Amino acid sequence: VDSFSEQITGQEDAGSRIMAAIEKDEFRLFCQRITPLAVNSAEAEHYEILIRLMEEEESMMPPGAFFPLAEKYGLMPHLDRWVVQHVIEWVSSQDLRGTRLEDSIFFINMAGATIRDPGFADFVRDQLEKYDVPGAALCFETSVSDLSLTNANVAGFARQITQCGCRVALSGFGRDRISFELLHGLQAEFLKIDGSIILNILRDRVDLAKVTAINRVAKTIGIKTIAEFVESDEIVAKLRELAVDFAQGFGISRPRPLLELGSFIGPDGAG
């Protein structure tokens, strides 16, 4: 963290630099496709929202290097608000009717500090109303690690967010000990199966059994599954065989600027 701090600012304290980047819109939104796996599926393609600092695009920093800095200086709630506001503004500026993006959902990762922020749900509601965007266009992701540490906070956050019409997803599931007890009160619509076990399902029978069991239980309780870190056609074929609902990873598509996604919207699809 300290070395990245010096890399950004030339000084040890980078908090003011990160805050200035938020205020001056020096971040850029990217997206990565989440594709349905069933053959001839009627499901829409969805997208996970990613964020890059402009200095990263200029190869001055590795992607995501600013996150530990933002966490260190307590700035993640500010950054998450920036992301939410700009995603909602982008959705409101697009004419998605008649395109494959009309029913797409945009997944936004939430930091633990943001989940504990009592004013965040009201901020989301205000932004949705301001830009006249339905809450169903957004899905807020929380990780298993955040959920296990602050279950009560996450459950309260999920309740408030779903009252806005938004969806909830739990990511990183299966990395550690599997417990569906974590899902109580979460109202999750999507469960992301951790990429560390997805990567091994073709060569590790234990990981294959984990994915099979997670998918089966999720389907039983009405939650859709998304495989993370899908990197090959062979893994896609295996996931289809297991009836996993969606896949995400470099084997599906690489991240691209959200503005670029908008430029390819047409009546026949999302490009």
Side-chain angles (χ1 to χ4, degrees), residues 2-264:
D2 291 339
S3 65
F4 286 141
S5 176
E6 293 177 11
Q7 191 172 349
I8 291 176
T9 64
Q11 57 188 4
E12 292 183 2
D13 183 0
S16 59
R17 173 68 186 89
I18 296 293
M19 194 65 208
I22 296 171
E23 293 172 348
K24 296 177 181 178
D25 286 344
E26 294 181 10
F27 291 93
R28 293 293 178 265
L29 293 176
F30 282 64
C31 63
Q32 186 176 35
R33 183 156 46 96
I34 301 171
T35 195
L37 287 175
V39 177
N40 299 321
S41 173
E43 289 268 13
E45 292 180 335
H46 306 312
Y47 294 85
E48 177 165 347
I49 298 297
L50 308 169
I51 183 171
R52 297 284 185 267
L53 189 60
M54 288 173 64
E55 291 176 59
E56 294 174 344
E57 295 185 58
E58 296 164 3
S59 301
M60 296 177 66
M61 298 169 58
F66 61 87
F67 280 118
L69 292 173
E71 291 174 349
K72 176 181 178 180
Y73 294 103
L75 298 176
M76 285 306 299
H78 295 281
L79 186 57
D80 286 343
R81 276 173 165 76
W82 186 94
V83 172
V84 168
Q85 190 264 321
H86 282 76
V87 171
I88 291 175
E89 184 178 10
W90 179 86
V91 172
S92 74
S93 70
Q94 308 297 312
D95 184 3
L96 305 182
R97 293 168 298 178
T99 76
R100 289 181 63 189
L101 289 179
E102 183 174 7
D103 297 317
S104 291
I105 301 169
F106 297 89
F107 286 63
I108 302 175
N109 286 280
M110 289 289 98
T114 305
I115 289 170
R116 294 188 294 272
D117 181 349
F120 183 75
D122 288 337
F123 171 80
V124 173
R125 184 180 295 106
D126 290 345
Q127 293 297 308
L128 291 170
E129 292 176 356
K130 176 181 178 181
Y131 290 99
D132 193 25
V133 168
L138 303 182
C139 181
F140 289 93
E141 279 190 39
T142 183
S143 69
V144 168
S145 56
D146 281 334
L147 182 59
S148 59
L149 291 174
T150 58
N151 191 286
N153 291 112
V154 175
F157 170 83
R159 183 172 56 255
Q160 293 175 349
I161 285 297
T162 53
Q163 287 172 354
C164 298
C166 303
R167 332 288 181 107
V168 175
L170 182 62
S171 63
F173 200 83
R175 181 187 311 156
D176 301 313
R177 183 178 61 87
I178 298 173
S179 175
F180 281 90
E181 294 296 317
L182 292 172
L183 294 172
H184 280 307
L186 190 60
Q187 305 178 61
E189 188 166 329
F190 298 94
L191 190 65
K192 285 194 168 186
I193 306 173
D194 192 71
S196 63
I197 57 176
I198 295 296
L199 288 170
N200 290 324
I201 60 172
L202 298 180
R203 55 180 179 268
D204 188 314
R205 294 170 61 186
V206 173
D207 283 341
L208 176 59
K210 271 188 181 183
V211 174
T212 303
I214 291 170
N215 189 60
R216 184 176 64 249
V217 176
K219 293 289 182 57
T220 300
I221 60 179
I223 298 178
K224 296 176 183 177
T225 50
I226 301 172
E228 299 179 303
F229 293 6
V230 176
E231 296 192 347
S232 69
D233 292 340
E234 292 77 15
I235 291 179
V236 168
K238 176 57 71 173
L239 293 170
R240 282 200 176 105
E241 182 183 318
L242 299 177
V244 171
D245 295 302
F246 294 89
Q248 172 184 6
F250 283 3
I252 302 298
S253 74
R254 290 182 174 270
R256 61 177 173 175
L258 184 62
L259 291 177
E260 182 181 302
L261 176 66
S263 69
F264 283 94

